[in-house]
Amino acid sequence: MTGVSLSRWTMSYFAASLLALVAAELMMTLGYGFPNAPLKSPDTLVLVHVVALGWLSLLMCGALFQFVPVLVAKPLFSNTLPLPTLICLIGGIAALLLGFLTLAGRVQPVLPYFLLASALLGAGFALVLWNLGRTLWAARPLPLPARFVVIGLCSVAVAATLGIIFALVLGGATTYPPFLAIAAEGVSIHAIAGFGGWLTFTAMGVSYRLLAMFMLAPELDSPSTHAALGLGAAGLTIAIVGGVAAIWWEGQPDTALLVAGLIAVAALALYGRDMLHLYRARKRRDIELNSRMAALSLASLAASVVLMAVLLALGRLSDFIAPLVFLVAFGWLSGLGLAKLYKIVAFLTWLECYGPVLGRASTPRVQDLVIEQRAIKWFLIYFLAVWSGTAALLLEHTFAFRFAAAVMLVATSGIVVQLLCTRRLLNVGAEQRLPAGASRPRLLMSVARQS
């Protein structure tokens, strides 16, 4: 991180995404959306997009604006664009949710919400791709973790494009037959591009770099890592290109998705092998809380793969797709996101506050900004609740699922309080908190300067 500018608006992305996570958990606790409503109902679509766009995508965008420059050792193309990008994305998410609420009859159609959502989300993700794409282009040839991010960015372009098509069809702006066919049969491809390509593939690339850095493990550039990249990209290509072609020619993408799924399992198995190697090869024997909790998120990913394989073997994948997606979204992606946020917030706060006075005054360590003994219980409760919620969905026990969601909400709130304490330096002793020349960081933005 030394010599890298802080991304000014990354903390704002993190704050907005955490608010969305809390809102989603509150909705599940109150019984809003699936399983109290049908899987394709407007209420469930509201819940799914609060999680996928409001929580996970905003979190990923904020993290990438900070860490793509770290991955490629080049400055971000523009430190100005993240703010209008955030405004477009939040506005687009709000418009999309209002569109779904209009379909449910809960909101009057005062404005063409789906058209607004298409424009704002299209502009927001286009800015993301332009800013990160120019940064990556300037850094060629790319290191291996950054190539995962490139695949992730290509996937978000596909997911956003499909989402815009869905919104235009739902908003009545087009009756173009190929678009109607995509809207009718392409939801699974949209989900694979979003959860599989954009979120999972990008998280894989970032985790290769961050886990190695935080555990002092040698960075991987092995044949298995190259194979995971190649197989994952091949699986996504078959799912997206083959799936869309199959819809237009045959009406159903099932065969393409099955082949892609089998290839994806092989890619994830290689990724799991690499992660296991990183933990075993680490030089830091007593690893920090974020790395220990990341292991639980990786266990959730492994459980997701096993669950998918069992459901495919039983021919019941479509019947139990909801618990599988829940485990991927909250056990793997959200678990990893929360675990890494715990370290990233402390690291960025330390750089911002103490970097400028380093060597000129006595400063605390990064670990002095957190108290792991206080935080660990919230993480353990969170993962236990997610796994219990998955079991409740598999057993089709709605009340047990809502109880698990309530526990997730409590645990997430506990983690958020820990993040706030870290950002406000409340865990640092008063004698070391603000040495001469240091200033308390702002809550929602960072002062961009060379560390």
Side-chain angles (χ1 to χ4, degrees):
M1 297 289 290
T2 303
V4 174
S5 295
L6 293 170
S7 175
R8 182 183 295 269
W9 300 107
T10 283
M11 289 297 170
S12 301
Y13 278 81
F14 289 167
S17 64
L18 286 168
L19 284 174
L21 175 60
V22 169
E25 291 172 343
L26 182 60
M27 284 190 279
M28 291 189 291
T29 301
L30 296 176
Y32 186 86
F34 188 85
N36 288 79
L39 202 56
K40 295 183 179 179
S41 68
D43 287 350
T44 301
L45 292 175
V46 168
L47 177 59
V48 167
H49 286 86
V50 168
V51 175
L53 290 175
W55 158 230
L56 292 171
S57 290
L58 288 182
L59 173 70
M60 190 64 76
C61 289
L64 289 180
F65 285 137
Q66 180 63 55
F67 285 102
V68 163
V70 177
L71 289 178
V72 299
K74 292 281 185 181
L76 187 67
F77 172 71
S78 170
N79 252 318
T80 304
L81 288 179
L83 180 58
T85 302
L86 180 62
I87 293 171
C88 286
L89 291 176
I90 290 178
I93 293 168
L96 185 65
L97 300 183
L98 286 170
F100 291 137
L101 292 173
T102 301
L103 290 181
R106 299 179 186 276
V107 170
Q108 293 300 315
V110 178
L111 294 171
Y113 295 122
F114 283 118
L115 298 184
L116 282 173
S118 299
L120 289 170
L121 287 173
F125 281 115
L127 290 173
V128 171
L129 292 169
W130 174 255
N131 204 357
L132 296 177
R134 289 294 301 265
T135 305
L136 291 164
W137 184 261
R140 292 168 297 149
L142 296 175
L144 199 50
R147 296 180 208 171
F148 281 86
V149 174
V150 171
I151 300 297
L153 292 176
C154 293
S155 298
V156 76
V158 173
T161 301
L162 291 174
I164 289 171
I165 291 174
F166 295 158
L168 292 176
V169 171
L170 288 172
T174 179
T175 56
Y176 184 50
F179 285 178
L180 296 181
I182 290 293
E185 301 294 340
V187 173
S188 53
I189 300 173
H190 178 56
I192 288 171
F195 281 103
W198 160 229
L199 296 168
T200 291
F201 230 70
T202 306
M204 289 165 66
V206 172
S207 63
Y208 272 113
R209 180 74 171 88
L210 289 187
L211 283 173
M213 182 170 69
F214 292 147
M215 295 193 298
L216 300 180
E219 292 195 22
L220 287 172
D221 193 3
S222 64
S224 64
T225 312
H226 285 271
L229 176 67
L231 286 171
L236 287 169
T237 302
I238 292 172
I240 295 168
V241 178
V244 170
I247 289 174
W248 284 344
W249 291 340
E250 303 172 7
Q252 290 288 337
D254 295 355
T255 303
L257 298 186
L258 178 60
V259 173
L262 293 174
I263 296 174
V265 168
L268 290 172
L270 291 170
Y271 169 70
R273 178 179 178 274
D274 283 346
M275 292 299 103
L276 194 59
H277 175 78
L278 280 182
Y279 276 88
R280 286 174 173 169
R282 71 185 190 274
K283 295 179 181 177
R284 177 173 285 169
R285 304 319 302 172
D286 297 323
I287 55 177
E288 298 166 350
L289 181 62
N290 75 91
S291 297
R292 280 180 277 158
M293 296 302 105
L296 297 185
S297 71
L298 291 167
S300 299
L301 176 63
S304 303
V305 174
V306 171
L307 178 60
M308 183 174 71
V310 170
L311 292 174
L312 279 172
L314 297 175
R316 303 291 304 278
L317 181 59
S318 59
D319 297 332
F320 292 100
I321 192 66
L324 178 61
V325 172
F326 178 82
L327 184 57
V328 170
F330 290 99
W332 156 234
L333 293 168
S334 300
L336 184 68
L338 289 171
K340 289 305 158 193
L341 266 182
Y342 187 71
K343 180 68 177 182
I344 290 169
V345 170
F347 203 11
L348 297 184
T349 300
W350 184 89
L351 282 173
E352 183 179 354
C353 184
Y354 302 114
V357 300
L358 202 59
R360 295 188 284 114
S362 175
T363 62
R365 303 168 303 149
V366 176
Q367 275 303 95
D368 293 332
L369 272 63
V370 298
I371 300 178
E372 293 190 351
Q373 292 84 350
R374 290 182 186 170
I376 188 170
K377 61 179 179 292
W378 300 119
F379 280 101
L380 293 177
I381 292 171
Y382 173 84
F383 279 105
L384 288 173
V386 169
W387 296 333
S388 301
T390 305
L393 287 175
L394 285 169
L395 297 172
E396 299 179 325
H397 200 302
T398 302
F399 179 78
F401 174 75
R402 290 178 60 182
F403 180 76
V407 177
M408 286 170 60
L409 177 61
V410 172
T412 301
S413 301
I415 295 170
V416 170
V417 169
Q418 297 303 310
L419 295 176
L420 287 172
C421 289
T422 298
R423 187 65 182 164
R424 302 311 295 164
L425 305 175
L426 298 181
N427 296 324
V428 182
E431 69 283 358
Q432 275 193 307
R433 188 171 298 160
L434 287 174
S439 56
R440 188 186 299 273
R442 298 177 186 177
L443 188 60
L444 297 179
M445 63 178 289
S446 301
V447 178
R449 53 187 163 184
Q450 298 295 317
S451 57

